[in-house]
Amino acid sequence: MSNIFETLESEVRTYSRSWPVVFTHASGATQTDENGREYLDFFSGAGALNYGHNNPVLTAPLLEYLASGAVVHSLDMMTPAKREFLETFQELILKPRHLDYKVMFPGPTGTNTVEAALKLARKVTGRQHILSFTNAFHGMTLGALSVTGNSLKRKGAGIPLTNSSKIPYDDYFDGTTADFMWLERILDDSGSGVDKPAAVIVETVQGEGGLRAARTEWLRSLSALLKRHEILLIVDDVQAGCGRTGTFFSFEEAGIEPDIVCVSKSISGYGLPMALTLFHPELDVWEPGEHNGTFRGNNPAFVTATAALRAYWADDKFEKQLAGTIATLHTGLEKIAGSVEGAGVRGRGLLAGVIFKDLEIASKVAAEAFANGLLVETSGPEDEVVKIMPPLNVTDEQLARGLEILAAAVRTAVESSTLAHA
Amino acid sequence: MSNIFETLESEVRTYSRSWPVVFTHASGATQTDENGREYLDFFSGAGALNYGHNNPVLTAPLLEYLASGAVVHSLDMMTPAKREFLETFQELILKPRHLDYKVMFPGPTGTNTVEAALKLARKVTGRQHILSFTNAFHGMTLGALSVTGNSLKRKGAGIPLTNSSKIPYDDYFDGTTADFMWLERILDDSGSGVDKPAAVIVETVQGEGGLRAARTEWLRSLSALLKRHEILLIVDDVQAGCGRTGTFFSFEEAGIEPDIVCVSKSISGYGLPMALTLFHPELDVWEPGEHNGTFRGNNPAFVTATAALRAYWADDKFEKQLAGTIATLHTGLEKIAGSVEGAGVRGRGLLAGVIFKDLEIASKVAAEAFANGLLVETSGPEDEVVKIMPPLNVTDEQLARGLEILAAAVRTAVESSTLAHA
Amino acid sequence: MSNIFETLESEVRTYSRSWPVVFTHASGATQTDENGREYLDFFSGAGALNYGHNNPVLTAPLLEYLASGAVVHSLDMMTPAKREFLETFQELILKPRHLDYKVMFPGPTGTNTVEAALKLARKVTGRQHILSFTNAFHGMTLGALSVTGNSLKRKGAGIPLTNSSKIPYDDYFDGTTADFMWLERILDDSGSGVDKPAAVIVETVQGEGGLRAARTEWLRSLSALLKRHEILLIVDDVQAGCGRTGTFFSFEEAGIEPDIVCVSKSISGYGLPMALTLFHPELDVWEPGEHNGTFRGNNPAFVTATAALRAYWADDKFEKQLAGTIATLHTGLEKIAGSVEGAGVRGRGLLAGVIFKDLEIASKVAAEAFANGLLVETSGPEDEVVKIMPPLNVTDEQLARGLEILAAAVRTAVESSTLAHA
Amino acid sequence: MSNIFETLESEVRTYSRSWPVVFTHASGATQTDENGREYLDFFSGAGALNYGHNNPVLTAPLLEYLASGAVVHSLDMMTPAKREFLETFQELILKPRHLDYKVMFPGPTGTNTVEAALKLARKVTGRQHILSFTNAFHGMTLGALSVTGNSLKRKGAGIPLTNSSKIPYDDYFDGTTADFMWLERILDDSGSGVDKPAAVIVETVQGEGGLRAARTEWLRSLSALLKRHEILLIVDDVQAGCGRTGTFFSFEEAGIEPDIVCVSKSISGYGLPMALTLFHPELDVWEPGEHNGTFRGNNPAFVTATAALRAYWADDKFEKQLAGTIATLHTGLEKIAGSVEGAGVRGRGLLAGVIFKDLEIASKVAAEAFANGLLVETSGPEDEVVKIMPPLNVTDEQLARGLEILAAAVRTAVESSTLAHA
């Protein structure tokens, strides 16, 4: 039977290869395929569905908005939906955290907000160079790609990626070296040949690059070091933000205040395209229209974003519940990792995973999990980490069940691997 | 009273400055502000609302879909909504036009599809250089920006924009030179110093760059010239596509078949973020996942896209009706331009405008039109063109009324300008 | 017999392929090979031997200097030889021409002075982009190569050459377009996408790129146009300078005063490595040591340079005699060109040549001339021009003899070509 | 009195500021100013005068050659002088060291040979990226500058320097980390974001960057590591080569065989501009003329180069004597360094120096030494090292005298510094 995805869609497609079924419905932490089979979804739209699929708290205002004849698409015109979002974001997110940020709508995707952040950092400082970290992932457009680590994706550019250098992420040398040895040295050494950067861009957890999580003290030292050298700190919170690590912003625990923050994925809460670039007011040197984009005013996304903020971030209830979920997940993952020699837990919050010594195990685990009704992705340059990213509101039962399937999948994968190497 | 748009949103905002009202509702060719004032919208979301605001033909299936619990966000997993879109696009768009294209979902914005096109062209050819045209607009991320003309936007990059050169668009020298004199010469001259390009990227009408429209014979010559030199032709149909010029693709009239086509803006039909990159099957050399993006599977957009294709492009009724609307608009614009010395009509289809000798008139016309309830934008490096872009399904009455307001606004602007210069 | 040039020297060698003999001695306009055969040298070390080989007027002070124990190598330390050169250059060259230039010693080669000029232009203006001309040749190091036209040489870089664009040289479209149509248009059009350049670099005669000579009115218009736009004009006088076109600087006839001038090749007069970068005093914003180079103080070259200036440029005798030589050469070349259908004379002064319709003739002429004892090179992207560049002090007899050999070689080449195509 | 060096020469001049006298004569390890004052020269033309000024062993054949009417300037034509140089270089240098290199004449300066090496490495591998080391110095033209460390010099480019990254030189972290920790890690990690390089370029002693000397085991490990990854190793031996460290090539002691070697400065032996690029025969993929340069055939330099090779490298006498001189110098420097708290000896062979804790001392030492008749330079990004580089044939008496002046200058500088900080 001819399959239009294979005949018409480009070879670039990828998830449809790992999960070769057609998903029809979805709800919370589950997706259902067209044969009626249900899957536990511990992938959450690569982090865009932190509140689960089709969360009814968001569906209702979305349907109401769309049925009302209100403005859907508005570029950067003013609409009540945008006003409500801005007011809610200020009240529930910025003010309680004492964060003084201007809000930019840079176009509705993660790569858009990263490109806007890089442009702004260069404009403000008059410097061109950007430092990013080993195994970073920031997006697929040329600017964002230049600060990304993955070599397959970098080669896709077809031209040399310039104006950025790479520095080692936390624990890149497995604890054998002092933090920022390299960074401090090159910034102090006028002969280092590493041009003084406009900014350093960092993910607090490397969602695509293998789920390394930066320690809070590392983030604090990074922030302090850059302040001393008058270099801007950009936190790319596209994947780790919006509650994924246990707090709204992933950098809250570290107590730092980045100069620029990139937000996208789960900001709309419903999987609708939306992104923000946040920055200190004194950095707001944009000319009107100097950066724009057709879909920067996606009002349905503003509506669900506002509803999500109100439902989950008006007080600390959700955050507390989330702490429990995180604890349960990590206990489970530690147990699984503990059962395999050389395995270890990676990540932070609900952006976590298990790394195996044998680089091929993670892919086998993901395949076996899928066969048993659990959607989990791999992460890392060699797909060496199984990535566990349930919705933040996953139920205890679902989490337990998911961990069970995962544990079984790991056993199977490790056994098959042992046999293969025997 | 403090206004959160001014206090919290970045200075980069622009339309909210020209149109300082809050738009609450919208329907077809009208938008209503929160004081209940109605505006004729001849701006159409910068081309993302070709079928008008909140078109009920699309609202219905969208609401139904969202209410049904179907998958909303799917990256590049398979869903029925995506399948239906692919099938419908193949049946109603590609097949009747004998176009053999693979379909890539590069992320949901115009700049994403342009970046994907440039990357693919470079990968396929192994060449790095791209040629683009004077006054081109292709997007705000680093790759797309490098092929864009506007100097304000280019400076926003903060770094030199490299790996592309500019060539003169059709009629750039007001008819004084042979077409492609420069392009032919440099391609034939191994000493020209212009490196052989991977591709030439072109808009058939320069939506942002002053509404110049390329003649069909110019496009045909361009296409033939590039074929002779084995250089890829990329048509950026983000703004001019989806019916805007009278046919689904803007290049149909010219009878050419570009190697790569960029589609976005009105492809969802409802202002929802969505984009396609189309290319000949032999160019489909992507590795799985070599280019990706979180919001490349925006199912609500697939649903409205499918509905729009079925409602408007299943037969030639809409196209015929559109031809009448286009004729009426151009008659009207010619009349207006004829009334002002040195003025002229620019553009093609419903992507048209009037250029004035006095560079300041267009902005005055837009302001005066807004004061009288008509939303029109300006275009061109000096905002020297009034841009008229009603929805494709604007009614005759609305079109007539809009042209009347426009004509009056032109009279007022010209008078004030004459007084100012007297 | 093994030949160490073939076994040990790199494949990059080129003249030893066209002229496969070992040259032992040289004097004025002649070279002698080790079999005692004498050749008329109308190649003059690619323009580095304007006063002929081993000119005794220069040999004497050179030998005296070297025998005296004076400083040979001094970087940018002060020496009497350098002082005398500076004083003589000021007295005999700058003052009489009312040129107010600072003198920089950028390293002893043409590509060094071009790199210094480009760096300075970018530093002074704070702009990055440089415009250069189709078929320009400015050198082989990365900066100079980026403004060079030849595609074989450009590909040698192994990376994309960036931060410059190409514009059409005088008569690039065979007189069919107005001068500077493209340049004026893009400078006036803020949407052209060609970033405002720091400088335009030009050769008044394209020595390597096919011997096109810019008309004086074209140079004047270029200079005026750039002044209006506050863009620096760099004249690369490496090949055309030092008398080659009839005056010391090749731009004198045009009456322009470039902002920066690159001089090398024949400035030492004896074929010794030496180069200068000249620029208006207000451009002298270099930090001490910001640009340097080990061989920027080649004192033997200063000595011969001073002697050459004194011998040839102390009054107008040499210039007058040169005018006669130039007239004779051009009469001869016109006659030769007139004898071949479609042939024409190219160049200016003693930097001239003949272009043939059949692209292969020039190489045949050069080979035939060599067989008959005349050294002439080809020029142009396809080696389509025979390049005639005798020493400036060639005797009438030598010039007549050389032209005779050339005329015969042309006849032979044209005949063989006609036969080949019959 | 007006001084033409100040009025006419560019502000970029630098040595004439530290040593504000006019040097007239020079001989061996001495220079004499026009007041008849003699200076011991422990600077040796920045390494271009390894055999001393006006070495009579070279003067004689040079004068003879120039007086004989032999060819002086020959581009890459064949001459007996070039043949003799090639034969001698093969016999006395390459063969005894079992080095199988092709010889390229890339133009007569250090930056030329580096540019040629980088181009060739990129061409051969098809990769664009180059790795170079912190505090490297490779030249002032755009390609060489991009692999150079000094920030003042890098800024001189006026554009971002791209297509290279920096890695830590030996002991950059004062022995606290394993060698090549960073390099090994990024080469093994496909997600590091550091694109696989075409080549790594290294100086075995960093002549300009502070006189760090790489240990032989570090060089061996580097060479082995690159071989495993099929990355080319370029040794820039421009300053450290030609005997400066005790052997002809500075990498001999390490027992490695670089893929490409850059040679210049003292290769002519007499301070005459000359350079070589050496590479393994299988890398000789140049097209004829793909890299060229007017002064690549400087025959007087070939003559002195041949004479120098014959005089000093025909047997091991010179090398043995040199070993003694080196030992004496280092004993002396150790003694001096030992007398100052926190001071240390840097460098290798006769390319050595003393670093002081107080960054300002080195400049004071150089000034004081000059006042007492000794020419020594500083090195390092903050001029923190006094650089001692006598001619290789310095006499014992001169060496002793120079060390004495140096020791006294150090005492004075340290005292004045202590007073200043008291």
Side-chain angles (χ1 to χ4, degrees), chain B residues 128 134-135 149 151 154 160 162-163 166 168 172-173 176-177 181-182 185 189-195 212 381-382, chain C residues 128 134-135 149 151 154 160 162-163 166 168 172-173 176-177 181-182 185 189-195 212 381-382:
Chain B
Q128 293 85 23
T134 50
N135 289 294
S151 63
R154 289 177 69 84
T162 55
N163 292 298
K166 303 305 165 281
Y172 193 60
F173 300 113
T176 60
T177 65
M181 200 178 55
W182 171 240
R185 192 73 176 79
D189 178 4
S190 74
S192 71
V194 182
D195 298 320
R212 287 179 190 272
E382 311 291 334
Chain C
Q128 293 84 24
T134 49
N135 289 294
S151 63
R154 289 177 67 85
T162 56
N163 293 300
K166 303 302 165 286
Y172 193 60
F173 300 114
T176 61
T177 65
M181 200 177 57
W182 171 240
R185 190 74 177 80
D189 178 4
S190 74
S192 70
V194 181
D195 298 319
R212 288 178 189 274
E382 311 291 334

Side-chain angles (χ1 to χ4, degrees), chain B residues 297-377:
Chain B
N298 188 15
N299 286 273
F302 297 161
V303 168
T304 54
T306 303
L309 295 182
R310 287 177 182 159
Y312 295 101
W313 302 98
D315 55 36
D316 62 0
K317 246 184 282 175
F318 179 65
E319 220 168 318
K320 282 184 175 159
Q321 171 203 313
L322 188 50
T325 310
I326 290 170
T328 307
L329 176 66
H330 281 256
T331 306
L333 293 182
E334 289 291 353
K335 201 171 147 194
I336 289 169
S339 71
V340 184
E341 206 210 306
V345 174
R346 281 271 181 90
R348 196 156 66 90
L350 295 189
L351 184 54
V354 181
I355 183 165
F356 300 94
K357 221 170 162 180
D358 179 340
L359 297 181
E360 288 164 19
I361 286 185
S363 295
K364 287 179 184 165
V365 170
E368 180 71 14
F370 174 68
N372 290 293
L374 175 69
L375 303 177
V376 292
E377 199 189 2

Side-chain angles (χ1 to χ4, degrees), chain A residues 128 133-136 148-151 154 160-163 165-168 172-173 176-177 181-182 185-186 189-195 212 381-382, chain D residues 128 133-136 148-151 154 160-163 165-168 172-173 176-177 181-182 185-186 189-195 212 381-382:
Chain A
Q128 292 85 23
F133 288 96
T134 49
N135 289 294
T148 287
N150 187 284
S151 64
R154 288 177 69 84
L161 294 169
T162 55
N163 293 298
S165 300
K166 302 304 165 284
I167 49 177
Y172 193 61
F173 300 113
T176 60
T177 65
M181 201 178 54
W182 172 241
R185 190 75 176 80
I186 56 177
D189 178 3
S190 74
S192 71
V194 182
D195 298 319
R212 287 178 189 273
E382 310 293 334
Chain D
Q128 293 85 25
F133 289 95
T134 49
N135 288 295
T148 288
N150 187 284
S151 62
R154 289 176 68 84
L161 294 169
T162 57
N163 293 299
S165 300
K166 302 303 164 285
I167 49 177
Y172 193 60
F173 301 112
T176 60
T177 66
M181 200 179 55
W182 171 240
R185 189 75 176 81
I186 57 177
D189 178 4
S190 73
S192 71
V194 182
D195 298 319
R212 287 178 188 273
E382 311 293 333

Side-chain angles (χ1 to χ4, degrees), chain A residues 355-374:
Chain A
I355 183 165
F356 299 94
K357 220 170 163 181
D358 179 339
L359 298 180
E360 287 164 21
I361 286 186
S363 295
K364 286 178 184 166
V365 170
E368 180 70 14
F370 174 68
N372 290 293
L374 174 69

Side-chain angles (χ1 to χ4, degrees), chain C residues 170 179-180 204 213-225 251-256 348:
Chain C
D170 190 12
D179 294 344
F180 306 112
T204 65
R215 290 162 298 140
T216 53
E217 61 266 33
W218 186 88
L219 289 169
R220 271 193 299 272
S221 301
L222 175 63
S223 174
L225 175 58
F251 52 80
E252 292 177 37
E253 199 184 328
I256 61 170
R348 196 155 67 88

Side-chain angles (χ1 to χ4, degrees), chain B residues 84 91 102 107 133 136 162 168 176 184 205 292 315 318 321 419:
Chain B
E84 276 177 61
E91 276 316 304
K102 292 298 272 305
F133 289 96
T162 55
T176 60
E184 279 194 293
V205 184
N292 60 24
D315 55 36
F318 179 65
Q321 171 203 313
L419 287 173

Side-chain angles (χ1 to χ4, degrees), chain A residues 253-271:
Chain A
E253 201 183 326
I256 60 169
E257 189 174 326
D259 299 287
I260 307 181
V261 183
C262 298
V263 177
S264 182
K265 289 207 187 256
S266 274
I267 184 66
S268 85
Y270 207 72

Side-chain angles (χ1 to χ4, degrees), chain A residues 138-399:
Chain A
H138 298 291
M140 288 292 101
T141 51
L142 205 57
L145 193 53
S146 71
V147 290
T148 287
N150 187 284
S151 64
L152 169 69
K153 289 182 174 26
R154 288 177 69 84
K155 268 183 207 153
I159 47 173
L161 294 169
T162 55
N163 293 298
S164 72
S165 300
K166 302 304 165 284
I167 49 177
Y169 193 71
D170 190 12
D171 204 29
Y172 193 61
F173 300 113
D174 304 317
T176 60
T177 65
D179 296 342
F180 306 112
M181 201 178 54
W182 172 241
L183 184 55
E184 278 194 295
R185 190 75 176 80
I186 56 177
L187 293 179
D188 282 337
D189 178 3
S190 74
S192 71
V194 182
D195 298 319
K196 181 167 182 177
V200 171
I201 184 166
V202 67
E203 302 157 282
T204 64
V205 185
Q206 297 193 311
E208 302 300 307
L211 286 169
R212 287 178 189 273
R215 290 161 299 139
T216 54
E217 61 266 32
W218 186 88
L219 288 170
R220 270 193 299 272
S221 302
L222 175 64
S223 174
L225 175 59
L226 298 186
K227 228 179 272 298
R228 274 203 305 283
H229 287 276
E230 301 190 312
I231 294 164
L232 299 178
L233 174 62
I234 304 172
V235 168
D236 177 344
D237 230 13
V238 167
Q239 185 158 167
C242 302
R244 182 50 65 187
T245 65
T247 50
F248 187 81
F249 293 114
S250 73
F251 53 78
E252 292 177 37
E253 201 183 326
I256 60 169
E257 189 174 326
D259 299 287
I260 307 181
V261 183
C262 298
V263 177
S264 182
K265 289 207 187 256
S266 274
I267 184 66
S268 85
Y270 207 72
L272 303 177
M274 180 173 166
L276 306 176
T277 316
L278 311 175
F279 36 79
H280 286 140
E282 66 272 20
L283 306 182
D284 193 10
V285 300
W286 289 114
E287 295 288 322
E290 194 173 357
H291 180 98
N292 60 24
T294 297
F295 294 115
R296 66 197 186 278
N298 187 15
N299 286 273
F302 297 160
V303 168
T304 55
T306 303
L309 294 182
R310 287 178 182 160
Y312 295 100
W313 301 98
D315 55 36
D316 61 1
K317 246 184 280 174
F318 180 64
E319 221 169 316
K320 281 183 177 161
Q321 172 202 312
L322 188 51
T325 311
I326 289 171
T328 308
L329 176 67
H330 280 257
T331 306
L333 294 181
E334 289 292 352
K335 202 171 147 194
I336 290 170
S339 71
V340 184
E341 205 210 307
V345 174
R346 282 271 181 92
R348 194 156 67 90
L350 296 188
L351 183 55
V354 182
I355 183 165
F356 299 94
K357 220 170 163 181
D358 179 339
L359 298 180
E360 287 164 21
I361 286 186
S363 295
K364 286 178 184 166
V365 170
E368 180 70 14
F370 174 68
N372 290 293
L374 174 69
L375 304 177
V376 292
E377 200 190 1
T378 58
S379 175
E382 310 293 334
D383 291 319
E384 70 275 19
V385 180
V386 184
K387 182 177 179 182
I388 313 298
M389 193 162 46
L392 308 187
N393 53 0
V394 65
T395 65
D396 290 350
E397 183 278 328
Q398 286 169 327
L399 187 54

